[in-house]
Amino acid sequence: MSVARLLLVRHAPTGETRAARFPTSPGHAPRRGCAPLDDAGLESAGALGGLLPRADRCWSSYAVRACQTAEAAGFQAEPQAGLAECDFGAWAGRSLAEVAAADTDGLQRWFADPDHAPHGGESATALRARAADVLARVTGLGGTTLAFTHGGFVRAAVLAALGVPSVLAWKLDVAPLSVTELHHHEQGGWRLVRLNSTPQPAVVAP
């Protein structure tokens, strides 16, 4: 039975990640001012090298943080617009607390309604459709695809693969540098193999 494997790696931390801010750049295209990895993020991404399997292809979003994570881990990634984070529009660069104070009703609707985009950017429904397009492409290519991407995209891809409601996205944790793995089987569709897994070096017995 033919199996297509997709490994989704969330990028290493940036200053925005550590401050729990909505990213200023989603990664749909190259953009000036896109937040890079900080020193600790680069170091942690480098430690990922050797812990990921060989792949038939390696992709990343256009965001600097995703491209740098791939490079630090020892991979040459081909940028793909479809792997971008959700576009948070007017909320970009702001913390959740700041948004809650300025637009409480909008934030509540955003959490409750996947079709709602009060920030003027991308809705959860649109992000999920984009993730479904990436899944379809991976299925057609077959083999193993390694993709350096973002927390929101990983959640959307999992929900699309499993066919479960988008409001469940907030119940999924996707930590920086975690790996989520999906397999597509010709007879059974997508299967979630691991979620939010942090690869660890093998322990060699003395």
Side-chain angles (χ1 to χ4, degrees), residues 106-155:
L107 187 62
Q108 290 177 345
R109 287 189 63 191
W110 181 65
F111 279 122
D113 183 0
D115 294 325
H116 192 53
H119 41 61
E122 191 174 23
S123 69
T125 298
L127 175 60
R128 176 171 174 155
R130 177 156 55 82
D133 288 342
V134 172
L135 292 175
R137 185 179 176 197
V138 169
T139 301
L141 291 171
T144 298
T145 302
L146 179 62
F148 291 84
T149 182
H150 308 268
F153 181 90
V154 174
R155 293 185 186 94

Side-chain angles (χ1 to χ4, degrees), residues 81-107:
L83 291 171
E85 178 59 282
C86 183
D87 183 349
F88 292 108
W91 294 356
R94 304 169 71 183
S95 70
L96 189 63
E98 290 170 344
V99 172
D103 188 9
T104 303
D105 291 341
L107 187 62

Side-chain angles (χ1 to χ4, degrees), residues 26-44:
H28 293 282
R31 177 177 169 182
R32 294 180 62 184
C34 184
L37 300 183
D38 55 23
D39 290 342
L42 282 169
E43 182 178 355
S44 59

